[in-house]
Amino acid sequence: MFPISFNIQQTIHDFIVEYIDVDFTLWLSWLLMPLLVTFLLPLIIVFLLYLTAVILYIYKLHRTRLQNVYGTDWKSAARYVVAAVWDAHGWIWHGYEIVGLENVPQNEPVLYIFYHGALPIDIYYFLAKMFLFTSKLINTVADRFLFKIPGFSIMSDVLSIIPGTVQTCSAILKEGNSLAILPGGVYEAQFGDAYYQLLWKKRIGFAKVALDAKVCIIPVFTRNIRESFRAVTLGRRLLLHIYAATRLPVVPIYGGFPVKLITYLGKPIPYDSSLTPEQLQKKVVAALENLIKEHQRIPGSITRALFERIIPPKEKVH
């Protein structure tokens, strides 16, 4: 075994020495350098231009807020900075807007129920804009696997992201804080498609939370969220089996397309003690499906969503 291994290594060594000229490789790298620079330099310039736009947007719209929180609690200052960055990114990359702010009750906690995109960037933009313009942080429920990712713990601490049980969610609302939940979770994110069906199965935890905390529910849907990022459909049956066994996000996603994103807030569904969790869940499903039917052309189209950046849908936005 040892002589054979030694012969193979000697053969490889002889081949490199005999056929590969170090001077040639240096010459080839020198020859190709202009080509590499030709493609890489424009990308770097585009990134710098985008970063410049973000900084200028933050300075123009949010400099007063940022100046006011400097010297106070570091978490509060950090929240404003992070929110300003996400708000700038949403506006520049997606022309992000919110419709229906008048539906949000004043001075009382609200449970926001979202449709879950392949990558829920809409909730990041929504939370950022709401915090910047109301100074109120909306707590968010996230899947448990995220809390195992290095670096996520400080984000969850500062931005009030929780794994979420019925008891902890209800307690947050009873303390007067608003809360955002995406009932479809990772399953809806991975296995939803451009037809925007709700994939909630029999999940009623959010309904139990609303009934226990005695708060209203506002359904939330973002137009074109499935066109900004898409989940790969190839091999979906196999991936579904893997997900069922591991509960981990195994479906690859692609995209980052600069499509138009508009978040719609539906009419509040008031607390009703006569409803069971199952009945309340059905009401919320119906309300969210109506939002989707009213504001989303189905099936979704990436090309159409891109054109909406140029010619926005004819709707009054805030």
Side-chain angles (χ1 to χ4, degrees):
M1 180 65 70
F2 178 77
I4 295 176
S5 176
F6 178 78
N7 289 338
I8 293 175
Q9 293 177 6
Q10 186 64 41
T11 301
I12 295 174
H13 177 270
D14 293 342
F15 177 82
I16 294 174
V17 172
E18 181 69 20
Y19 295 101
I20 298 181
D21 190 337
V22 175
D23 291 336
F24 172 75
T25 58
L26 291 175
W27 175 82
L28 186 62
S29 63
W30 174 82
L31 180 66
L32 295 178
M33 185 59 67
L35 186 63
L36 294 174
V37 172
T38 300
F39 285 99
L40 290 179
L41 191 57
L43 292 177
I44 294 173
I45 293 173
V46 169
F47 171 76
L48 292 175
L49 288 173
Y50 183 78
L51 182 61
T52 300
V54 168
I55 292 172
L56 294 177
Y57 178 91
I58 292 170
Y59 181 79
K60 177 182 178 181
L61 291 188
H62 304 303
R63 63 186 183 278
T64 303
R65 295 182 181 89
L66 296 179
Q67 289 169 352
N68 290 339
V69 297
Y70 288 146
T72 62
D73 175 46
W74 75 270
K75 289 186 180 180
S76 178
R79 290 184 189 117
Y80 274 100
V81 173
V82 170
V85 170
W86 277 104
D87 185 55
H89 185 278
W91 172 248
I92 295 171
W93 196 248
H94 293 289
Y96 180 74
E97 298 173 276
I98 299 177
V99 172
L101 287 175
E102 67 277 5
N103 293 328
V104 179
Q106 299 297 315
N107 303 319
E108 63 180 84
V110 172
L111 177 57
Y112 297 95
I113 300 298
F114 279 74
Y115 171 82
H116 202 311
L119 188 66
I121 55 171
D122 57 329
I123 195 170
Y124 311 151
Y125 300 146
F126 175 77
L127 296 176
K129 191 173 287 291
M130 293 294 283
F131 180 71
L132 286 170
F133 292 99
T134 68
S135 297
K136 294 181 180 179
L137 183 65
I138 299 174
N139 294 257
T140 314
V141 174
D143 198 280
R144 293 181 182 277
F145 84 89
L146 289 172
F147 294 86
K148 300 177 182 179
I149 298 176
F152 191 80
S153 59
I154 189 171
M155 291 177 58
S156 62
D157 177 40
V158 176
L159 303 178
S160 296
I161 304 173
I162 61 173
T165 63
V166 172
Q167 292 74 23
T168 56
C169 291
S170 179
I172 287 171
L173 291 164
K174 288 178 180 178
E175 291 171 358
N177 304 300
S178 292
L179 182 68
I181 298 179
L182 297 79
V186 175
Y187 181 80
E188 186 170 75
Q190 294 186 109
F191 301 104
D193 55 28
Y195 288 87
Y196 287 89
Q197 294 99 338
L198 299 184
L199 304 179
W200 293 5
K201 296 185 176 180
K202 297 182 179 180
R203 298 181 180 181
I204 59 173
F206 72 90
K208 292 180 179 179
V209 168
L211 291 173
D212 184 64
K214 298 179 174 59
V215 298
C216 72
I217 292 176
I218 291 186
V220 185
F221 171 71
T222 300
R223 181 188 186 103
N224 298 325
I225 188 60
R226 281 275 165 192
E227 280 60 70
S228 60
F229 286 90
R230 287 263 174 99
V232 172
T233 57
L234 184 66
R236 176 157 292 194
R237 183 172 298 180
L238 174 61
L239 294 172
L240 183 57
H241 287 300
I242 297 174
Y243 169 77
T246 63
R247 298 296 174 182
L248 294 175
V250 294
V251 179
I253 61 173
Y254 65 96
F257 304 111
V259 300
K260 180 69 175 180
L261 294 181
I262 305 176
T263 292
Y264 297 91
L265 305 180
K267 297 291 184 182
I269 301 172
Y271 166 71
D272 185 348
S273 60
S274 66
L275 294 177
T276 65
E278 290 79 10
Q279 291 171 330
L280 180 56
Q281 190 237 33
K282 290 180 180 179
K283 288 191 69 172
V284 176
V285 167
L288 197 44
E289 286 178 340
N290 286 336
L291 275 181
I292 295 172
K293 182 178 180 181
E294 181 179 358
H295 299 294
Q296 181 66 53
R297 290 183 63 181
I298 294 177
S301 165
I302 295 173
T303 302
R304 183 173 61 242
L306 287 170
F307 273 110
E308 288 183 3
R309 290 299 307 276
I310 304 171
I311 307 175
K314 296 180 180 180
E315 297 168 315
K316 184 180 179 180
V317 295
H318 298 271

